[in-house]
PDB file of all heavy atoms in Angstrom:
ATOM      1  N   ILE A 138      84.275 107.956 110.411  1.00  0.00           N
ATOM      2  CA  ILE A 138      84.791 106.574 110.440  1.00  0.00           C
ATOM      3  C   ILE A 138      86.271 106.567 110.776  1.00  0.00           C
ATOM      4  O   ILE A 138      87.004 107.169 110.123  1.00  0.00           O
ATOM      5  CB  ILE A 138      84.487 105.849 109.158  1.00  0.00           C
ATOM      6  CG1 ILE A 138      83.081 105.752 108.836  1.00  0.00           C
ATOM      7  CG2 ILE A 138      85.031 104.410 109.114  1.00  0.00           C
ATOM      8  CD1 ILE A 138      82.652 105.277 107.576  1.00  0.00           C
ATOM      9  N   THR A 139      86.632 105.992 111.818  1.00  0.00           N
ATOM     10  CA  THR A 139      88.023 105.834 112.154  1.00  0.00           C
ATOM     11  C   THR A 139      88.578 104.603 111.571  1.00  0.00           C
ATOM     12  O   THR A 139      88.074 103.530 111.471  1.00  0.00           O
ATOM     13  CB  THR A 139      88.155 105.659 113.766  1.00  0.00           C
ATOM     14  OG1 THR A 139      87.511 106.724 114.361  1.00  0.00           O
ATOM     15  CG2 THR A 139      89.586 105.630 114.160  1.00  0.00           C
ATOM     16  N   ALA A 140      89.864 104.779 110.936  1.00  0.00           N
ATOM     17  CA  ALA A 140      90.503 103.741 110.234  1.00  0.00           C
ATOM     18  C   ALA A 140      90.834 102.651 111.237  1.00  0.00           C
ATOM     19  O   ALA A 140      91.226 102.828 112.335  1.00  0.00           O
ATOM     20  CB  ALA A 140      91.724 104.206 109.528  1.00  0.00           C
ATOM     21  N   SER A 141      90.606 101.447 110.834  1.00  0.00           N
ATOM     22  CA  SER A 141      90.890 100.335 111.745  1.00  0.00           C
ATOM     23  C   SER A 141      91.931  99.434 111.032  1.00  0.00           C
ATOM     24  O   SER A 141      92.343  99.670 109.895  1.00  0.00           O
ATOM     25  CB  SER A 141      89.615  99.393 111.875  1.00  0.00           C
ATOM     26  OG  SER A 141      89.146  98.861 110.627  1.00  0.00           O
ATOM     27  N   ALA A 142      92.281  98.343 111.779  1.00  0.00           N
ATOM     28  CA  ALA A 142      93.432  97.481 111.164  1.00  0.00           C
ATOM     29  C   ALA A 142      92.878  96.717 109.827  1.00  0.00           C
ATOM     30  O   ALA A 142      93.670  96.478 108.959  1.00  0.00           O
ATOM     31  CB  ALA A 142      93.664  96.402 112.247  1.00  0.00           C
ATOM     32  N   ALA A 143      91.557  96.629 109.654  1.00  0.00           N
ATOM     33  CA  ALA A 143      91.012  96.058 108.558  1.00  0.00           C
ATOM     34  C   ALA A 143      91.111  96.963 107.413  1.00  0.00           C
ATOM     35  O   ALA A 143      91.010  96.409 106.225  1.00  0.00           O
ATOM     36  CB  ALA A 143      89.513  95.672 108.805  1.00  0.00           C
ATOM     37  N   ASP A 144      91.422  98.256 107.537  1.00  0.00           N
ATOM     38  CA  ASP A 144      91.626  99.177 106.449  1.00  0.00           C
ATOM     39  C   ASP A 144      92.914  99.332 105.975  1.00  0.00           C
ATOM     40  O   ASP A 144      93.227  99.969 105.060  1.00  0.00           O
ATOM     41  CB  ASP A 144      91.027 100.581 106.883  1.00  0.00           C
ATOM     42  CG  ASP A 144      89.489 100.663 107.160  1.00  0.00           C
ATOM     43  OD1 ASP A 144      88.783  99.904 106.421  1.00  0.00           O
ATOM     44  OD2 ASP A 144      89.099 101.273 108.051  1.00  0.00           O
ATOM     45  N   LYS A 145      93.847  98.711 106.732  1.00  0.00           N
ATOM     46  CA  LYS A 145      95.294  98.910 106.394  1.00  0.00           C
ATOM     47  C   LYS A 145      95.811  97.731 105.466  1.00  0.00           C
ATOM     48  O   LYS A 145      95.590  96.579 105.817  1.00  0.00           O
ATOM     49  CB  LYS A 145      96.118  99.003 107.742  1.00  0.00           C
ATOM     50  CG  LYS A 145      95.646 100.232 108.573  1.00  0.00           C
ATOM     51  CD  LYS A 145      96.408 100.226 109.835  1.00  0.00           C
ATOM     52  CE  LYS A 145      96.033 101.426 110.733  1.00  0.00           C
ATOM     53  NZ  LYS A 145      96.652 101.535 112.042  1.00  0.00           N
ATOM     54  N   THR A 146      96.574  98.169 104.582  1.00  0.00           N
ATOM     55  CA  THR A 146      97.217  97.308 103.701  1.00  0.00           C
ATOM     56  C   THR A 146      98.730  97.215 103.868  1.00  0.00           C
ATOM     57  O   THR A 146      99.354  98.202 104.298  1.00  0.00           O
ATOM     58  CB  THR A 146      96.837  97.474 102.205  1.00  0.00           C
ATOM     59  OG1 THR A 146      97.595  96.576 101.336  1.00  0.00           O
ATOM     60  CG2 THR A 146      97.228  98.979 101.802  1.00  0.00           C
ATOM     61  N   ALA A 147      99.259  96.067 103.529  1.00  0.00           N
ATOM     62  CA  ALA A 147     100.763  95.997 103.641  1.00  0.00           C
ATOM     63  C   ALA A 147     101.447  96.687 102.488  1.00  0.00           C
ATOM     64  O   ALA A 147     102.706  96.801 102.406  1.00  0.00           O
ATOM     65  CB  ALA A 147     101.240  94.528 103.635  1.00  0.00           C
ATOM     66  N   TYR A 148     100.625  97.116 101.483  1.00  0.00           N
ATOM     67  CA  TYR A 148     101.200  97.629 100.138  1.00  0.00           C
ATOM     68  C   TYR A 148     101.144  99.192 100.242  1.00  0.00           C
ATOM     69  O   TYR A 148     100.048  99.750 100.340  1.00  0.00           O
ATOM     70  CB  TYR A 148     100.431  97.109  98.986  1.00  0.00           C
ATOM     71  CG  TYR A 148     100.577  95.638  98.936  1.00  0.00           C
ATOM     72  CD1 TYR A 148      99.643  94.799  99.435  1.00  0.00           C
ATOM     73  CD2 TYR A 148     101.623  94.983  98.212  1.00  0.00           C
ATOM     74  CE1 TYR A 148      99.647  93.403  99.432  1.00  0.00           C
ATOM     75  CE2 TYR A 148     101.683  93.578  98.131  1.00  0.00           C
ATOM     76  CZ  TYR A 148     100.741  92.810  98.800  1.00  0.00           C
ATOM     77  OH  TYR A 148     100.784  91.411  98.658  1.00  0.00           O
ATOM     78  N   ASP A 149     102.261  99.799 100.117  1.00  0.00           N
ATOM     79  CA  ASP A 149     102.385 101.275 100.141  1.00  0.00           C
ATOM     80  C   ASP A 149     102.194 101.781  98.616  1.00  0.00           C
ATOM     81  O   ASP A 149     103.131 102.065  97.953  1.00  0.00           O
ATOM     82  CB  ASP A 149     103.654 101.761 100.690  1.00  0.00           C
ATOM     83  CG  ASP A 149     103.865 103.254 100.622  1.00  0.00           C
ATOM     84  OD1 ASP A 149     102.893 103.972 100.397  1.00  0.00           O
ATOM     85  OD2 ASP A 149     104.962 103.777 100.770  1.00  0.00           O
ATOM     86  N   TRP A 150     101.023 101.784  98.137  1.00  0.00           N
ATOM     87  CA  TRP A 150     100.663 102.054  96.804  1.00  0.00           C
ATOM     88  C   TRP A 150     101.180 103.406  96.311  1.00  0.00           C
ATOM     89  O   TRP A 150     101.865 103.640  95.347  1.00  0.00           O
ATOM     90  CB  TRP A 150      99.231 101.973  96.574  1.00  0.00           C
ATOM     91  CG  TRP A 150      98.606 100.643  96.713  1.00  0.00           C
ATOM     92  CD1 TRP A 150      97.626 100.272  97.681  1.00  0.00           C
ATOM     93  CD2 TRP A 150      98.935  99.487  96.091  1.00  0.00           C
ATOM     94  NE1 TRP A 150      97.391  98.966  97.539  1.00  0.00           N
ATOM     95  CE2 TRP A 150      98.163  98.380  96.505  1.00  0.00           C
ATOM     96  CE3 TRP A 150      99.819  99.176  94.936  1.00  0.00           C
ATOM     97  CZ2 TRP A 150      98.259  97.076  96.074  1.00  0.00           C
ATOM     98  CZ3 TRP A 150      99.924  97.819  94.506  1.00  0.00           C
ATOM     99  CH2 TRP A 150      99.086  96.857  95.061  1.00  0.00           C
ATOM    100  N   SER A 151     100.931 104.481  97.138  1.00  0.00           N
ATOM    101  CA  SER A 151     101.336 105.838  96.776  1.00  0.00           C
ATOM    102  C   SER A 151     102.836 105.951  96.721  1.00  0.00           C
ATOM    103  O   SER A 151     103.348 106.588  95.897  1.00  0.00           O
ATOM    104  CB  SER A 151     100.790 106.887  97.780  1.00  0.00           C
ATOM    105  OG  SER A 151     101.262 106.594  99.120  1.00  0.00           O
ATOM    106  N   GLY A 152     103.506 105.222  97.595  1.00  0.00           N
ATOM    107  CA  GLY A 152     104.931 105.300  97.655  1.00  0.00           C
ATOM    108  C   GLY A 152     105.559 104.512  96.448  1.00  0.00           C
ATOM    109  O   GLY A 152     106.500 105.050  95.729  1.00  0.00           O
ATOM    110  N   MET A 153     104.993 103.288  96.182  1.00  0.00           N
ATOM    111  CA  MET A 153     105.585 102.518  95.014  1.00  0.00           C
ATOM    112  C   MET A 153     105.291 103.316  93.716  1.00  0.00           C
ATOM    113  O   MET A 153     106.123 103.164  92.841  1.00  0.00           O
ATOM    114  CB  MET A 153     104.963 101.225  95.077  1.00  0.00           C
ATOM    115  CG  MET A 153     105.428 100.308  96.210  1.00  0.00           C
ATOM    116  SD  MET A 153     104.940  98.572  96.192  1.00  0.00           S
ATOM    117  CE  MET A 153     103.173  98.802  96.350  1.00  0.00           C
ATOM    118  N   LEU A 154     104.126 103.919  93.574  1.00  0.00           N
ATOM    119  CA  LEU A 154     103.804 104.479  92.287  1.00  0.00           C
ATOM    120  C   LEU A 154     104.587 105.727  91.979  1.00  0.00           C
ATOM    121  O   LEU A 154     104.603 106.232  90.915  1.00  0.00           O
ATOM    122  CB  LEU A 154     102.289 104.821  92.157  1.00  0.00           C
ATOM    123  CG  LEU A 154     101.429 103.499  92.136  1.00  0.00           C
ATOM    124  CD1 LEU A 154      99.946 103.850  92.241  1.00  0.00           C
ATOM    125  CD2 LEU A 154     101.649 102.732  90.799  1.00  0.00           C
ATOM    126  N   LYS A 155     105.229 106.251  92.978  1.00  0.00           N
ATOM    127  CA  LYS A 155     106.210 107.367  92.804  1.00  0.00           C
ATOM    128  C   LYS A 155     107.583 106.954  92.333  1.00  0.00           C
ATOM    129  O   LYS A 155     108.404 107.815  91.917  1.00  0.00           O
ATOM    130  CB  LYS A 155     106.352 108.152  94.105  1.00  0.00           C
ATOM    131  CG  LYS A 155     105.058 108.928  94.495  1.00  0.00           C
ATOM    132  CD  LYS A 155     105.197 109.526  95.763  1.00  0.00           C
ATOM    133  CE  LYS A 155     103.844 110.217  96.344  1.00  0.00           C
ATOM    134  NZ  LYS A 155     103.970 110.869  97.601  1.00  0.00           N
ATOM    135  N   LYS A 156     107.956 105.674  92.339  1.00  0.00           N
ATOM    136  CA  LYS A 156     109.218 105.171  91.901  1.00  0.00           C
ATOM    137  C   LYS A 156     109.508 105.433  90.518  1.00  0.00           C
ATOM    138  O   LYS A 156     108.479 105.492  89.614  1.00  0.00           O
ATOM    139  CB  LYS A 156     109.330 103.714  92.248  1.00  0.00           C
ATOM    140  CG  LYS A 156     109.374 103.414  93.829  1.00  0.00           C
ATOM    141  CD  LYS A 156     109.641 102.056  94.195  1.00  0.00           C
ATOM    142  CE  LYS A 156     109.652 101.860  95.727  1.00  0.00           C
ATOM    143  NZ  LYS A 156     110.906 102.524  96.277  1.00  0.00           N
ATOM    144  N   ASP A 157     110.751 105.466  90.067  1.00  0.00           N
ATOM    145  CA  ASP A 157     111.166 105.515  88.738  1.00  0.00           C
ATOM    146  C   ASP A 157     110.642 104.389  87.897  1.00  0.00           C
ATOM    147  O   ASP A 157     110.419 103.211  88.414  1.00  0.00           O
ATOM    148  CB  ASP A 157     112.696 105.684  88.590  1.00  0.00           C
ATOM    149  CG  ASP A 157     113.274 106.843  89.163  1.00  0.00           C
ATOM    150  OD1 ASP A 157     112.499 107.947  89.399  1.00  0.00           O
ATOM    151  OD2 ASP A 157     114.405 106.876  89.599  1.00  0.00           O
ATOM    152  N   ASP A 158     110.429 104.594  86.638  1.00  0.00           N
ATOM    153  CA  ASP A 158     109.908 103.567  85.694  1.00  0.00           C
ATOM    154  C   ASP A 158     110.802 102.316  85.721  1.00  0.00           C
ATOM    155  O   ASP A 158     110.274 101.220  85.804  1.00  0.00           O
ATOM    156  CB  ASP A 158     109.858 104.060  84.225  1.00  0.00           C
ATOM    157  CG  ASP A 158     108.804 105.060  84.013  1.00  0.00           C
ATOM    158  OD1 ASP A 158     107.938 105.212  84.798  1.00  0.00           O
ATOM    159  OD2 ASP A 158     108.879 105.872  83.030  1.00  0.00           O
ATOM    160  N   SER A 159     112.091 102.409  85.871  1.00  0.00           N
ATOM    161  CA  SER A 159     113.018 101.310  85.829  1.00  0.00           C
ATOM    162  C   SER A 159     112.701 100.389  86.998  1.00  0.00           C
ATOM    163  O   SER A 159     112.951  99.096  86.921  1.00  0.00           O
ATOM    164  CB  SER A 159     114.520 101.700  85.821  1.00  0.00           C
ATOM    165  OG  SER A 159     114.752 102.516  87.002  1.00  0.00           O
ATOM    166  N   TRP A 160     112.192 100.848  88.161  1.00  0.00           N
ATOM    167  CA  TRP A 160     111.965 100.052  89.334  1.00  0.00           C
ATOM    168  C   TRP A 160     110.907  98.957  88.932  1.00  0.00           C
ATOM    169  O   TRP A 160     110.910  97.846  89.550  1.00  0.00           O
ATOM    170  CB  TRP A 160     111.526 100.829  90.469  1.00  0.00           C
ATOM    171  CG  TRP A 160     111.211 100.059  91.685  1.00  0.00           C
ATOM    172  CD1 TRP A 160     112.139  99.549  92.624  1.00  0.00           C
ATOM    173  CD2 TRP A 160     109.997  99.591  92.194  1.00  0.00           C
ATOM    174  NE1 TRP A 160     111.526  98.859  93.620  1.00  0.00           N
ATOM    175  CE2 TRP A 160     110.199  98.948  93.312  1.00  0.00           C
ATOM    176  CE3 TRP A 160     108.636  99.684  91.702  1.00  0.00           C
ATOM    177  CZ2 TRP A 160     109.144  98.283  94.065  1.00  0.00           C
ATOM    178  CZ3 TRP A 160     107.605  99.160  92.408  1.00  0.00           C
ATOM    179  CH2 TRP A 160     107.829  98.454  93.636  1.00  0.00           C
ATOM    180  N   PHE A 161     110.002  99.249  87.992  1.00  0.00           N
ATOM    181  CA  PHE A 161     108.874  98.387  87.752  1.00  0.00           C
ATOM    182  C   PHE A 161     109.258  97.252  86.924  1.00  0.00           C
ATOM    183  O   PHE A 161     108.525  96.286  86.661  1.00  0.00           O
ATOM    184  CB  PHE A 161     107.761  99.088  87.061  1.00  0.00           C
ATOM    185  CG  PHE A 161     107.084 100.010  87.971  1.00  0.00           C
ATOM    186  CD1 PHE A 161     107.544 101.451  88.169  1.00  0.00           C
ATOM    187  CD2 PHE A 161     105.935  99.688  88.798  1.00  0.00           C
ATOM    188  CE1 PHE A 161     106.931 102.277  89.108  1.00  0.00           C
ATOM    189  CE2 PHE A 161     105.300 100.573  89.703  1.00  0.00           C
ATOM    190  CZ  PHE A 161     105.830 101.832  89.887  1.00  0.00           C
ATOM    191  N   ASN A 162     110.592  97.113  86.675  1.00  0.00           N
ATOM    192  CA  ASN A 162     111.129  95.923  86.024  1.00  0.00           C
ATOM    193  C   ASN A 162     111.981  95.133  87.093  1.00  0.00           C
ATOM    194  O   ASN A 162     112.705  94.150  86.676  1.00  0.00           O
ATOM    195  CB  ASN A 162     111.963  96.234  84.816  1.00  0.00           C
ATOM    196  CG  ASN A 162     112.320  95.035  83.956  1.00  0.00           C
ATOM    197  OD1 ASN A 162     111.608  93.976  83.900  1.00  0.00           O
ATOM    198  ND2 ASN A 162     113.485  95.016  83.267  1.00  0.00           N
ATOM    199  N   SER A 163     111.922  95.476  88.320  1.00  0.00           N
ATOM    200  CA  SER A 163     112.719  94.913  89.369  1.00  0.00           C
ATOM    201  C   SER A 163     112.035  93.703  89.929  1.00  0.00           C
ATOM    202  O   SER A 163     110.809  93.466  89.746  1.00  0.00           O
ATOM    203  CB  SER A 163     113.019  95.930  90.527  1.00  0.00           C
ATOM    204  OG  SER A 163     111.829  96.133  91.225  1.00  0.00           O
ATOM    205  N   SER A 164     112.723  92.744  90.685  1.00  0.00           N
ATOM    206  CA  SER A 164     112.152  91.742  91.210  1.00  0.00           C
ATOM    207  C   SER A 164     111.163  92.060  92.303  1.00  0.00           C
ATOM    208  O   SER A 164     110.039  91.310  92.484  1.00  0.00           O
ATOM    209  CB  SER A 164     113.246  90.739  91.915  1.00  0.00           C
ATOM    210  OG  SER A 164     113.928  91.540  92.918  1.00  0.00           O
ATOM    211  N   ASP A 165     111.309  93.116  93.027  1.00  0.00           N
ATOM    212  CA  ASP A 165     110.455  93.640  94.060  1.00  0.00           C
ATOM    213  C   ASP A 165     109.056  94.034  93.375  1.00  0.00           C
ATOM    214  O   ASP A 165     107.981  93.606  93.832  1.00  0.00           O
ATOM    215  CB  ASP A 165     111.003  94.828  94.793  1.00  0.00           C
ATOM    216  CG  ASP A 165     112.036  94.429  95.674  1.00  0.00           C
ATOM    217  OD1 ASP A 165     112.158  93.149  96.136  1.00  0.00           O
ATOM    218  OD2 ASP A 165     112.854  95.309  96.257  1.00  0.00           O
TER     219      ASP A 165
END
């Protein structure tokens, strides 16, 4: 199965979940 546009999200989960704990209290 080839990834399509329907499979793509605007949220970089793996990248965000690697951030420091303090970031999770930020406005972003």
Side-chain angles (χ1 to χ4, degrees):
I138 299 174
T139 303
S141 66
D144 295 325
K145 296 178 181 179
T146 178
Y148 300 89
D149 177 16
W150 298 117
S151 61
M153 290 188 293
L154 289 171
K155 291 176 183 176
K156 291 184 179 292
D157 293 338
D158 288 344
S159 60
W160 181 80
F161 289 88
N162 194 25
S163 70
S164 59
D165 287 342

